[in-house]
């Protein structure tokens, strides 16, 4: 089959590039590989492209970064022709966008859906990766490729806690990260929701509109700032599209890779008067979204300054929740932003509804799931439908569940026994010609992830082109460079508030997972500059192999 000058290989040995995952990372990498004339194939376990935006179909699911920024920039034509309908795109619209990208760039011929990767092993003698997969019909397939790109996503391995008795629950059990394709009717249902993170704060208001009752089980209260979502302002869209390249360039200069129209205020919260602080926080609250964390330059680096922002949000909770006891339970105590801040509308107001009840399980953890509900603190709570909004085994989950073996049969589970060692967030010593998009050690978790995806894809593509031009067969991070990079990631985190609470950034939501701060908090511009410098110095920190 030939598509846009690309010939899909019939022989598994013909692949230059095997890409795992057909989310935004896999689609972008495939498009780039095509442009380079490389033979590439994407294997995707799901029956659709879209990655996390296929799996997370729960009611209310939407992105927490504005649509005009959470989108591809590699094609000006795509930027101009696609019209977002909302300020923050919903899951159905994001899935339509992913499918549009796959169709517009004729990528489907190189994507195998319903194909779950089971093994990824490096053949030392052949200097090739051997990849095993299982198709929809159960048939096994083996592929060989020079390079493997893992684009499985940092938030794609659902976390289902091992609650005692979970298998005994008599009603439906729904996970926000693996939601049924058929819409769920909650009319007349008594629903229990476990979790109050990003997915929960979006789904709870929607369920409450339908269900007879909703009981929310909260371990840690979340800071939830308003999205102020609504139809996308046509004037804003026209203004951005009139200079989309300039808009993207300005965002790339931001620490987060987005938000250039309301950048970080470098002033200290501690230097401002009480009146000045209140006015500044109110302005950002009216705007909504992550801009609140940029109200002052020291909110994420000074706990005393951070406490002022945290108390501002707690004040908003007390204003919005009528019952003082419930408002107190919903008020977080950890520093704001040390866990990922949530962006959603109508969350706190939902607890004013007579059919919504909040149960604190921080001091008295869930003891067991029962056939008709759950037990905590010696008390039975009855419901007929259970929703697990328990998040993900983030960043490393997909890799640690894979039979991934590098040079000499080194298992990733052994390599990462103490945490995800890596170099530049894209490579791992002992795993030649293997790249990871939006992985541990990269700033992807603190940026618009599509920006990080495009940066990683471009860097990987340029690396492969350089290797071929120089006649090198393999590239592999050295252990020295890897150790130095992980130390750098931890050093940067130590100068922030991120280490002051447990979060998925540290792997703290998964029992037994090594506690290691995984994302890079140093900001996108500095990271991109470092990656460019490594390449400019002949891929400093890498060992190169000859054919």
């Amino acid at each position: 089959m030939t598509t846009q000058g690309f010939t899909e290989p019939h022989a598994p040995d013909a692949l230059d590039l095997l890409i795992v995952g057909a989310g935004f990372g896999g689609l972008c990498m495939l498009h780039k590989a095509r442009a380079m004339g490389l033979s590439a194939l994407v294997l995707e376990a799901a029956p659709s492209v879209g990655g996390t935006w296929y799996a997370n179909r729960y009611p209310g699911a939407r992105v927490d970064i504005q649509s005009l920024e959470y989108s591809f920039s590699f094609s000006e034509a795509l930027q101009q022709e696609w019209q977002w309908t909302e300020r923050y795109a919903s899951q159905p619209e994001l899935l339509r966008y992913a499918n549009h990208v796959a169709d517009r760039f004729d990528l489907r011929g190189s994507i195998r859906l319903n194909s779950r990767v089971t093994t990824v092993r490096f053949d030392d003698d052949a200097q090739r990766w051997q990849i095993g997969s299982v198709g929809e019909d159960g048939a096994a397939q083996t592929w060989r490729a020079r390079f493997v790109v893992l684009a499985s996503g940092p938030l794609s391995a659902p976390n289902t806690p091992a609650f005692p008795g979970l298998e005994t629950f008599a009603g439906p059990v729904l996970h926000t990260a693996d939601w049924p394709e058929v819409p769920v009717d909650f009319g007349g249902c008594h629903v229990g929701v476990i979790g109050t993170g990003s997915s929960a704060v979006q789904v709870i208001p929607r369920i409450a509109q339908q269900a007879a009752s909703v009981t929310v089980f909260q371990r840690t209260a979340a800071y939830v700032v308003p999205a102020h979502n609504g139809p996308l302002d046509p004037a804003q869209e026209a203004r951005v599209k009139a200079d989309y390249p300039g808009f993207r360039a300005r965002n790339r200069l931001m620490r987060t890779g987005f938000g250039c129209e309301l950048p970080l205020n470098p002033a200290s919260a501690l230097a401002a008067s009480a009146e000045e602080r209140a006015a500044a926080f109110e302005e950002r609250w009216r705007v909504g979204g992550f801009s609140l964390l940029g109200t002052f330059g020291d909110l994420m680096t000074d706990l005393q300054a951070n406490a002022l922002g945290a108390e501002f949000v707690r004040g908003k909770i007390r204003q919005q929740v009528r019952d003082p006891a419930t408002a107190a339970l919903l008020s977080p105590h950890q520093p704001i932003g040390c866990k990922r801040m949530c962006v959603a509308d109508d969350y706190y107001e939902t607890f004013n509804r007579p059919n919504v009840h909040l149960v604190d399980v921080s001091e008295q953890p869930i003891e067991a799931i029962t056939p008709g509900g759950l037990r905590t603190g010696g008390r039975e709570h009855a419901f007929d439908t259970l929703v697990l909004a328990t998040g993900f085994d983030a960043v490393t989950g997909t890799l640690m569940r894979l039979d991934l073996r590098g040079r000499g049969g080194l298992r990733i589970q052994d390599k990462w026994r103490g945490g995800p060692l890596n170099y530049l967030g894209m490579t791992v010593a002992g795993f030649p010609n293997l790249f990871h998009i939006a992985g541990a050690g990269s700033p992807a978790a603190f940026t618009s992830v599509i920006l990080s995806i495009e940066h990683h894809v471009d860097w990987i593509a340029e690396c492969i082109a350089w290797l071929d031009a120089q006649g090198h067969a393999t590239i592999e991070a050295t252990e020295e460079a890897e150790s130095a990079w992980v130390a750098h990631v931890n050093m940067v985190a130590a100068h922030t508030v991120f280490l002051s609470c447990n979060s998925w950034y540290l792997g703290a939501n998964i029992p037994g997972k090594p506690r290691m701060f995984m994302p890079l908090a140093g900001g996108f511009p500095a990271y991109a500059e470092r990656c460019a410098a490594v390449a400019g110095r002949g891929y400093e920190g890498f060992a190169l192999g000859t054919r």
Side-chain angles (χ1 to χ4, degrees):
M1 173 181 177
T2 302
T3 308
Q4 292 187 345
F6 167 76
T7 302
E8 183 178 1
H10 295 285
D13 283 332
L15 285 172
D16 291 313
L17 203 63
L18 191 289
I19 303 163
V20 180
F24 286 154
L27 294 175
C28 188
M29 189 74 247
L30 176 59
H31 177 261
K32 188 72 173 184
R34 288 272 195 87
M36 296 172 65
L38 298 175
S39 59
L41 185 70
V42 176
L43 298 180
E44 168 57 56
S48 169
V49 301
T52 191
W53 296 115
Y54 169 75
N56 288 259
R57 297 179 292 269
Y58 60 85
R62 67 178 66 253
V63 70
D64 56 8
I65 293 168
Q66 294 189 59
S67 310
L68 289 169
E69 296 169 300
Y70 191 85
S71 49
F72 286 122
S73 67
F74 64 74
S75 166
E76 176 65 7
L78 174 64
Q79 294 189 132
Q80 294 296 330
E81 71 193 16
W82 183 264
Q83 290 187 299
W84 297 104
T85 64
E86 295 182 275
R87 183 184 182 194
Y88 292 89
S90 66
Q91 178 271 334
E93 188 165 22
L94 289 160
L95 185 58
R96 287 195 298 273
Y97 180 68
N99 277 280
H100 174 76
V101 169
D103 291 332
R104 192 196 191 289
F105 298 101
D106 200 16
L107 302 178
R108 293 190 188 274
S110 300
I111 300 172
R112 295 209 172 189
L113 302 174
N114 297 302
S115 295
R116 180 174 297 279
V117 173
T118 55
T119 60
V120 181
R121 298 179 180 179
F122 189 71
D123 184 330
D124 294 79
D125 294 330
Q127 298 188 96
R128 291 287 188 276
W129 284 97
Q130 181 170 299
I131 303 95
S133 64
V134 176
E136 185 176 17
D137 59 359
Q141 177 74 58
T142 301
W143 310 89
R144 294 178 72 83
R146 289 198 297 149
F147 299 93
V148 167
V149 176
L150 300 172
S152 46
L155 297 175
S156 55
N159 171 39
T160 302
F163 295 120
L166 180 60
E167 71 285 354
T168 71
F169 185 69
V173 178
L174 309 171
H175 197 297
T176 49
D178 189 21
W179 202 261
E181 288 197 61
V182 178
V184 179
D185 181 6
F186 290 101
C189 294
H190 297 274
V191 183
V193 180
I194 299 176
T196 52
S198 294
S199 299
V201 303
Q202 292 181 337
V203 77
I204 288 169
R206 296 289 294 274
I207 295 175
Q209 292 169 3
Q210 299 180 36
S213 71
V214 178
T215 305
V216 178
F217 299 90
Q218 172 187 275
R219 183 176 61 181
T220 306
Y223 290 96
V224 184
V225 297
H228 299 311
N229 189 48
L232 184 61
D233 180 4
Q236 181 193 15
E237 181 183 24
R239 177 172 48 78
V240 169
K241 286 188 172 182
D243 181 27
Y244 228 144
F247 179 72
R248 301 290 194 183
R250 291 188 292 276
N251 270 336
R252 291 188 187 99
L253 297 176
M254 303 289 293
R255 286 179 62 87
T256 57
F258 65 92
C260 65
E261 297 195 325
L262 189 60
L264 173 75
N265 171 19
S268 168
L270 302 175
S273 68
E275 293 76 15
E276 290 169 337
R277 283 197 301 269
F281 283 131
E282 286 288 353
E283 178 191 2
R284 299 275 177 149
W285 188 266
R286 285 193 296 271
V287 171
F290 288 113
S291 69
L292 185 76
L293 295 178
T295 307
F296 295 100
D298 52 0
L299 290 186
M300 298 304 294
T301 57
D302 186 290
L303 285 172
Q304 190 177 355
N306 184 280
L308 298 170
E311 181 53 31
F312 172 80
V313 177
R314 286 193 287 266
K316 290 294 185 181
I317 297 171
R318 291 190 290 269
Q319 291 174 15
Q320 295 172 39
V321 181
R322 289 194 291 265
D323 176 55
T326 302
L329 286 177
L330 288 168
S331 296
H333 301 292
Q334 71 274 9
I336 186 170
C338 69
K339 291 176 177 284
R340 186 174 177 89
M341 193 169 69
C342 300
V343 179
D345 292 321
D346 303 322
Y347 177 66
Y348 293 122
E349 296 87 342
T350 295
F351 289 90
N352 293 325
R353 298 176 64 102
N355 66 328
V356 178
H357 313 283
L358 181 65
V359 177
D360 178 25
V361 296
S362 60
E363 298 297 328
Q364 297 178 317
I366 294 170
E367 298 165 14
I369 307 295
T370 64
L374 67 75
R375 186 173 64 254
T376 178
R379 179 185 171 188
E380 297 281 347
H381 297 271
F383 46 83
D384 51 48
T385 304
L386 175 59
V387 173
L388 299 176
T390 48
F392 304 89
D393 184 354
V395 184
T396 62
T398 52
L399 274 66
M400 295 294 276
R401 300 178 188 189
L402 180 63
D403 184 3
L404 170 59
R405 306 188 187 207
R407 196 181 294 280
L410 175 63
R411 299 168 68 246
I412 193 67
Q413 291 83 1
D414 295 327
K415 172 73 179 183
W416 282 1
R417 190 177 303 279
L421 303 174
N422 67 87
Y423 181 41
L424 301 180
M426 288 185 278
T427 63
V428 180
F431 293 77
N433 290 8
L434 180 82
F435 300 101
H436 192 193
I437 292 177
S442 86
F446 299 135
T447 70
S448 171
V449 72
I450 296 185
L451 171 81
S452 286
I453 285 169
E454 290 189 316
H455 171 263
H456 284 174
V457 164
D458 287 344
W459 193 91
I460 293 166
E462 290 166 7
C463 177
I464 292 173
W466 183 86
L467 291 171
D468 287 348
Q470 298 293 319
H472 296 296
T474 61
I475 184 167
E476 178 182 353
T478 66
E479 291 186 351
E480 293 77 13
E482 183 179 69
S483 296
W485 185 254
V486 172
H488 171 67
V489 171
N490 284 282
M491 180 272 294
V492 171
H495 290 87
T496 71
V497 303
F498 288 119
L499 301 184
S500 58
C501 70
N502 288 324
S503 69
W504 62 255
Y505 300 143
L506 283 158
N509 62 320
I510 306 297
K513 188 169 182 174
R515 297 297 183 263
M516 177 176 171
F517 194 77
M518 294 182 285
L520 174 65
F524 177 78
Y527 172 73
E529 183 178 339
R530 176 65 182 273
C531 290
V534 165
R537 291 193 282 265
Y539 292 88
E540 179 182 61
F542 288 96
L544 304 170
T546 58
R547 292 190 175 92

